[in-house]
Structure formats: structure tokens, C-alpha cells
Amino acid sequence: MAKGDFALCQQFPHGITDQVIQNDMPNLEAQQRAMAINRLLSLGQLDLLRNSSGLLYRMKDAQTAGKMKGSDNQEKLVYQVIEDAGNKGIWSRDIRYKSNLPLTEINKILKNLESKKLIKAVKSVAASKKKVYMLYNLQPDRSVTGGAWYSDQDFESEFVEVLNQQCFKFLQSKAEVARDSKQNPMVQRNSSFATSHEVWKYICELGISKVDLSMEDIETILNTLIYDGKVEMTIIAAKEGTVGSVDGQMKLYRGVNPIIQPTGLVKAPCGLCPVFDDCHEGGEISPSNCVCIWQSGWTFDQ
């Protein structure tokens, strides 16, 4: 019976509800079903989760189950809370809130889980003095690490500026080639556009970055150039599978001569900030205590 439940859980790696088990095993009485589930839980082969639909039973990874063997219910609870947080991680304060355990007990459990290499602590760019916890094998989300624009929690303003200059240089050279072609103005304009993939390929071939840059990273840089009035963007329809296209659309960029000098606001690092949506006065992340603004030398009176 327990084997049947376990096999069923393997078919649903994200978890199954009690209703699914009932539908698959209609002849199994409720008491027998409960005994089988409880046995798998006691053996550490299942995780008990909760979502909007109610309780979920999910098969536990064999390697993790082996490391969690012998752990008490409190340690399993803390592990589950951290697992649910995914690659964005969770602060110890939120673990305390969700587990309802004393902070001293949580710190002891966190230290134990770290020693088993089940979880890891990662410094977050959102708060330099705080760490978030996530499963050991996860790659932290860019909102935690800051992505390519951060190194050891420091905003790489010089690196961003170099990328900014090189992206603009590429688009300028493409525009110059289009002008020198002596074709009619409409053809010249159309040929002066470049896809974000072309810009990305150019930057990669330059070899100026120590980290792997994605097309999304390059588009972020191109967006800052748009805010500066140096670049304009248009979106065209593209065939499915075309390099650089997303959902049948492709972004094209071209360099332009700014009509006026950019204002102080667009010089702020906020356009590249991975936690921009969480930033507000009075919150954990706010403009008044932003390390990135301070490091960039930008001030609110610009």
C-alpha cells in the first residue's frame, strides 16, 4: 500500500493532493490511506506541504532524505520553510515567523543544516548586513546577488559605464555604415538598427566582461542608453525561432544624437537595480539608505 502511494508520488514530482490519491485508489479506505501516508512521512520519504488547495504530499529527494534521516520535526520544519523560499532565499526573521520557533533554536538548526551541506547562507545586495538561506544546490536569484552588476555586494559602476560606452559605440558605428551607404533615407534608417543579440555578441567578442552576460543584461544596458536619449528602440514581428526573438517579437536598437543632455535622474543606478520594485521609503530597501546610489556618487540634488 505504501509502495503504491510512493509510486503515485513519483508521477507527480511537484506534489499530489489527498483527492488525487483517492481517485487513483478508490477501493482504499481512508484509515488505510492515512496509515500508508504516515508511514512514508515517518520514513522521511515524503514531504508534507501546504498550498492554496490544501495539503500536498511530495516525494523527497533520495540524497536529501538520507541526510535528513534522524532529524527531529523542528529541523524538518525549518528545512521545509527554506525549501519553499526557492532561490530567492529567506531571512532568519521570516523563518522564525513561519516556523514559530525561538530564535535561539532556529540559529542552532541553521548551523546544523549548514554543516550537513543541506542549506547555505548567501549575502543579499538588498541588505548588506543580512544573509538569506536557501538549499545548498540552488543558484541564487539575481535579486539576491545583483547579477552581473555586483561583485561582493559592491555595485560595479565602472564596469557598467564601460558596457554603456561600448554598446553605444557599436550602435554608432552601425549608424555610420548606414549613412555611408548613400542609399535613400528610409533604407539608411532601417539598416542602422541592430538586434540586442547582435549587441550581445559584439560585447562577448570584446572579452571585456569577467562574468557571462545574458541578452537580458545587455538589454538592461541598452535601456539606460534609451533613458539617456542616446538610443531608440522599436519592436518588430519575427518568425518563431529567429535568433533574438521572444514570443514572435524582436527588439531593434539604433544610436541617435541626444537633443538635450540627460537629467540627473537617469544617471542614477536605479535603472539597473535588481530590487527596484521593492524599493520605497520606510522599507528594508529605500533610496535614503541605498548603498548603490552612494557608491555611484549620485545625489538627490542633481
Side-chain angles (χ1 to χ4, degrees):
M1 232 171 295
K3 288 183 180 179
D5 279 354
F6 189 68
L8 186 61
C9 288
Q10 288 180 313
Q11 298 175 33
F12 297 88
H14 298 295
I16 58 172
T17 63
D18 196 53
Q19 187 61 51
V20 173
I21 300 175
Q22 287 184 48
N23 293 341
D24 192 79
M25 303 177 181
N27 299 324
L28 193 65
E29 294 182 4
Q31 185 177 359
Q32 291 176 306
R33 187 170 63 252
M35 287 176 61
I37 290 172
N38 287 334
R39 176 166 173 74
L40 290 172
L41 288 169
S42 65
L43 291 172
Q45 294 179 330
L46 282 186
D47 277 327
L48 181 61
L49 308 173
R50 183 183 293 276
N51 68 1
S52 56
S53 303
L55 292 177
L56 280 179
Y57 305 103
R58 186 175 64 190
M59 184 181 67
K60 187 174 288 186
D61 175 70
Q63 186 177 1
T64 301
K67 290 183 178 180
M68 290 296 290
K69 192 174 182 180
S71 300
D72 58 25
N73 289 333
Q74 290 182 335
E75 192 167 288
K76 290 177 181 177
L77 175 60
V78 171
Y79 179 85
Q80 182 178 311
V81 169
I82 295 173
E83 184 179 30
D84 291 344
N87 66 345
K88 291 188 176 181
I90 185 170
W91 290 338
S92 56
R93 182 193 64 183
D94 294 329
I95 296 174
R96 180 185 180 186
Y97 171 76
K98 292 192 175 186
S99 65
N100 202 28
L101 293 173
L103 187 58
T104 52
E105 184 66 24
I106 288 174
N107 289 335
K108 180 181 176 182
I109 291 172
L110 290 174
K111 189 174 181 181
N112 193 30
L113 290 174
E114 282 189 272
S115 67
K116 293 180 181 179
K117 294 191 181 300
L118 288 171
I119 66 168
K120 61 184 175 183
V122 180
K123 289 183 179 180
S124 172
V125 296
S128 59
K129 295 182 180 179
K130 291 185 179 180
K131 296 181 292 186
V132 295
Y133 294 90
M134 65 185 66
L135 296 192
Y136 187 80
N137 61 342
L138 292 182
Q139 184 70 27
D141 186 79
R142 63 183 296 139
S143 64
V144 176
T145 63
W149 320 128
Y150 285 78
S151 176
D152 296 328
Q153 292 189 289
D154 293 328
F155 181 67
E156 297 283 352
S157 57
E158 291 183 6
F159 174 54
V160 170
E161 182 59 29
V162 169
L163 287 177
N164 196 298
Q165 292 172 359
Q166 290 300 325
C167 287
F168 184 52
K169 180 182 177 181
F170 174 76
L171 294 175
Q172 273 187 317
S173 63
K174 195 168 180 66
E176 287 172 5
V177 170
R179 282 196 297 271
D180 293 343
S181 67
K182 305 299 182 182
Q183 300 185 71
N184 69 67
M186 184 59 70
V187 173
Q188 285 186 34
R189 184 179 185 279
N190 290 341
S191 59
S192 67
F193 279 99
T195 66
S196 51
H197 181 266
E198 288 177 299
V199 182
W200 169 80
K201 186 179 179 182
Y202 169 76
I203 295 297
C204 290
E205 289 174 349
L206 282 180
I208 57 176
S209 175
K210 295 179 181 178
V211 297
D212 291 333
L213 296 172
S214 65
M215 271 200 0
E216 184 183 357
D217 291 329
I218 295 302
E219 287 183 358
T220 301
I221 294 292
L222 291 169
N223 284 339
T224 65
L225 289 169
I226 293 172
Y227 302 147
D228 283 344
K230 295 179 179 179
V231 168
E232 67 177 19
M233 180 192 75
T234 187
I235 299 176
I236 64 171
K239 292 181 180 179
E240 188 176 346
T242 304
V243 176
S245 65
V246 177
D247 296 330
Q249 293 184 329
M250 181 180 290
K251 295 178 181 178
L252 298 178
Y253 302 85
R254 68 186 290 263
V256 295
N257 294 319
I259 299 174
I260 58 174
Q261 287 299 311
T263 62
L265 182 60
V266 297
K267 295 179 181 178
C270 306
L272 294 165
C273 184
V275 290
F276 178 81
D277 293 335
D278 300 320
C279 184
H280 61 274
E281 277 301 336
E284 288 279 355
I285 308 161
S286 69
S288 57
N289 62 16
C290 178
V291 177
C292 304
I293 290 178
W294 176 76
Q295 288 177 339
S296 69
W298 189 84
T299 57
F300 286 99
D301 56 1
Q302 291 186 0

